[in-house]
Amino acid sequence: MFYWLMKYVVVGPLLRGIFRPWVVGLENIPAEGAVILASNHLSFIDSIFLPLEVDRHVSFLAKSDYFTRRGIKGWATKAFMNATGQLPIDRSGGKASEASLNTGLAVLARGEILGIYPEGTRSPDGKLYRGRTGVARMILEAGVPVVPVAMVDTAKIMPIGTRLPKIGRIGIIVGKPLDFSRFDGMEGDRFILRSVTDEIMYELQRLGAQEYVDVYATTVKEKRATLSQ
């Protein structure tokens, strides 16, 4: 109830009025049944505007740090993340990654929409980076269609490191569903997982016309952090 109240009564109408998002291809999202929305990730507000424009409930996997911060600000952040349908995951790897996978699979088992960022983190410079194969594993284990989504200009509205967004328009381009049923039962094959992931990234690049870089975004961020020390 809180999610829908925020979306249609409190926050949604206000954000639509201020940022006037434009959307192409919304009809490509199935009206019912489990589906994964695989999106590029340019800004924190990606997880706000995409669910805002989709008629169905969308759950995103978000880093657990957002849910564990202290104080009033921490409480407000947690409340906001819950209100926008985001689920906490631990990105430290190992058993934590397995738990994240199970969290996503639980959403899909309920026949709902799961939002995923294959890059695993926000792009540090607006380019599209290599996808993580954990996304492909979830797709094959759940056996659900994947709808690619390109967020446009969200980094211009709220760049990394800023607390408040600028006023401007953002765009959302929704591609046609991708079917990977030909790989059923092959979620344990790392070459298949890479192939599925690369196909998704190719489609995201085609939709959003971002420059593609075949390295992980986290690697770029780590190198920049080292150079700045």
Side-chain angles (χ1 to χ4, degrees):
M1 177 62 74
F2 188 43
Y3 176 90
W4 299 110
L5 182 65
M6 295 289 285
K7 182 172 181 175
Y8 290 111
V9 180
V10 182
V11 177
L14 178 64
L15 293 180
R16 283 196 182 97
I18 294 175
F19 297 98
R20 299 174 295 123
W22 56 267
V23 187
V24 176
L26 200 58
E27 69 278 1
N28 290 323
I29 300 177
E32 58 183 20
V35 62
I36 289 176
L37 301 185
S39 172
N40 61 334
H41 198 14
L42 299 170
S43 170
F44 172 78
I45 60 174
D46 295 332
S47 300
I48 299 174
F49 281 100
L50 181 53
L52 185 64
E53 295 302 319
V54 177
D55 289 336
R56 299 174 59 192
H57 186 287
V58 180
S59 298
F60 266 96
L61 300 182
K63 60 182 180 180
S64 57
D65 294 359
Y66 288 128
F67 297 81
T68 58
R69 295 172 181 174
R70 298 181 178 181
I72 296 178
K73 184 178 179 180
W75 174 86
T77 300
K78 180 180 179 180
F80 178 81
M81 300 301 279
N82 287 328
T84 53
Q86 304 199 46
L87 304 172
I89 61 168
D90 188 336
R91 297 178 177 176
S92 59
K95 292 184 179 180
S97 295
E98 191 70 24
S100 299
L101 173 70
N102 292 334
T103 298
L105 290 175
V107 172
L108 297 170
R110 295 194 296 267
E112 300 175 2
I113 297 180
L114 178 68
I116 294 178
Y117 298 118
E119 293 167 278
T121 187
R122 285 174 290 179
S123 170
D125 51 18
K127 298 176 183 178
L128 185 68
Y129 286 90
R130 199 175 198 222
R132 299 281 182 174
T133 58
V135 173
R137 183 183 170 193
M138 188 179 299
I139 291 167
L140 298 185
E141 287 204 17
V144 298
V146 184
V147 176
V149 179
M151 303 300 295
V152 181
D153 290 337
T154 51
K156 294 180 180 179
I157 301 302
M158 191 171 182
I160 292 177
T162 58
R163 294 186 176 183
L164 295 173
K166 304 174 184 177
I167 302 299
R169 297 197 73 183
I170 64 102
I172 303 173
I173 304 174
V174 183
K176 294 183 178 180
L178 303 175
D179 181 9
F180 295 106
S181 59
R182 62 190 183 278
F183 298 127
D184 283 352
M186 304 177 73
E187 60 271 12
D189 189 320
R190 62 189 181 92
F191 295 106
I192 294 297
L193 296 181
R194 173 47 57 192
S195 177
V196 169
T197 305
D198 288 347
E199 185 173 335
I200 294 171
M201 301 314 293
Y202 172 82
E203 190 62 18
L204 290 179
Q205 194 282 327
R206 188 187 68 82
L207 290 174
Q210 288 174 265
E211 179 183 345
Y212 179 74
V213 182
D214 195 26
V215 298
Y216 294 120
T218 50
T219 301
V220 175
K221 288 183 175 181
E222 289 168 0
K223 287 183 178 180
R224 291 187 177 188
T226 300
L227 292 173
S228 64
Q229 291 178 355

